[in-house]
């Protein structure tokens, strides 16, 4: 329902705050409440106008689990978020959510040393977002969610930074994420050269060098 979608986002937001404030019991209770609301949203076939609230809740839920060290759940719920964003018309808050995903992805990129081989396989838990646009081809930002290279973490050129319609803070956050990815990639390339192993350029390095 519409109310469940809004409650899910609010519960997820407060759960993160409680976790950061070291109130673990409260954080876990709020996270459980988030799951209950999200389950209700799925079972009731949410209205298109509520997709953004649910997508935002899933991202916050994903970040919550990443802070607790569960990266499998982070990547899973992040992908659920992408599947919803692929169907949402572009507006300022959508740009902000994409930038937030890119920024948190850059943290994951750092943790995994930019190595996709070390990432958990979550395809059985939630399949990649279809690369076929279908009825959503006219939605400008949906291509970001549908891009195969973005299914585990954002890669390539910073699309929100390059979008003049996005808010300045969203563009800055996306640009910063790209900088982190680029630094990780450059470090990996430098180490590979020292060890005599040729490493293929990532989509981000390729975009930066063009």
């Amino acid at each position: 329902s519409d109310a469940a979608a809004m409650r899910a986002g609010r519960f997820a937001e407060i759960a993160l705050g409680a976790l950061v404030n070291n109130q673990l019991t409260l954080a876990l209770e709020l996270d459980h409440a988030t799951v209950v609301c999200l389950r209700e949203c799925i079972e009731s076939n949410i209205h298109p106008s509520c997709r953004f609230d649910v997508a935002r809740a899933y991202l916050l839920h994903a970040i919550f689990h990443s802070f607790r060290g569960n990266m499998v759940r982070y990547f899973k719920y992040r992908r659920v978020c992408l599947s919803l964003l692929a169907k949402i018309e572009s507006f300022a808050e959508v740009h902000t959510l994409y930038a937030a995903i890119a920024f948190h992805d850059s943290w994951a990129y750092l943790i995994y040393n930019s190595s996709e081989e070390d990432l958990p396989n979550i395809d059985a838990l939630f399949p990649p977002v279809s690369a076929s646009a279908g009825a959503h081809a006219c939605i400008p930002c949906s291509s970001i969610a549908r891009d195969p290279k973005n299914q585990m973490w954002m890669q390539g050129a910073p699309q929100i930074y390059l979008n003049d319609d996005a808010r300045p803070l969203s563009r800055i956050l996306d640009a910063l994420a790209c900088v982190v990815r680029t630094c990780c990639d450059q470090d990996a390339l430098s180490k590979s050269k020292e060890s005599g192993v040729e490493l293929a350029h990532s989509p981000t390095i390729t975009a930066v060098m063009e």
Side-chain angles (χ1 to χ4, degrees):
S1 68
D2 296 358
M6 289 185 285
R7 286 199 301 268
R10 187 57 178 154
F11 284 148
E13 185 178 338
I14 300 174
L16 264 179
L19 185 63
V20 171
N21 201 37
N22 205 30
Q23 296 174 284
L24 184 57
T25 301
L26 176 60
L28 291 173
E29 290 177 353
L30 288 166
D31 183 62
H32 177 70
T34 302
V35 172
V36 171
C37 291
L38 289 173
R39 187 176 294 125
E40 183 180 338
C41 291
I42 294 173
E43 292 174 351
S44 61
N45 292 320
I46 58 170
H47 190 272
S49 63
C50 296
R51 280 178 184 151
F52 175 79
D53 293 308
V54 178
R56 177 176 174 274
Y58 268 113
L59 178 61
L60 292 171
H61 187 52
I63 294 174
F64 178 91
H65 283 290
S66 73
F67 284 172
R68 299 202 71 216
N70 193 331
M71 296 306 290
V72 171
R73 288 191 176 185
Y74 168 71
F75 288 116
K76 173 187 173 182
Y77 294 123
R78 171 199 178 279
R79 187 175 287 178
V80 177
C81 174
L82 282 185
S83 72
L84 291 165
L85 286 176
K87 304 173 184 176
I88 299 175
E89 292 289 346
S90 297
F91 57 94
E93 283 72 19
V94 170
H95 299 154
T96 300
L97 204 57
Y98 273 119
I101 294 172
F103 182 72
H104 203 72
D105 281 353
S106 69
W107 173 73
Y109 206 72
L110 187 61
I111 290 176
Y112 285 92
N113 292 316
S114 68
S115 173
E116 293 191 352
E117 294 179 356
D118 295 332
L119 291 174
N121 186 350
I122 63 163
D123 290 353
L125 299 175
F126 196 89
V129 181
S130 174
S132 175
H136 307 289
C138 61
I139 303 176
C141 279
S142 70
S143 61
I144 300 175
R146 290 184 285 101
D147 194 326
K149 69 175 179 289
N150 293 334
Q151 294 308 299
M152 291 302 290
W153 46 34
M154 293 296 180
Q155 274 282 19
Q159 295 300 315
I160 300 303
Y161 170 73
L162 297 172
N163 188 339
D164 292 335
D165 295 328
R167 290 172 176 167
L169 286 178
S170 299
R171 297 181 69 191
I172 291 171
L173 196 62
D174 193 38
L176 181 58
C178 184
V179 169
V180 173
R181 293 197 306 271
T182 303
C183 289
C184 289
D185 288 338
Q186 288 178 335
D187 181 63
L189 286 171
S190 176
K191 289 179 179 178
S192 68
K193 288 180 180 178
E194 290 176 0
S195 60
V197 178
E198 188 172 347
L199 193 66
H201 285 185
S202 72
T204 296
I205 282 290
T206 302
V208 170
M209 294 176 65
E210 288 180 348

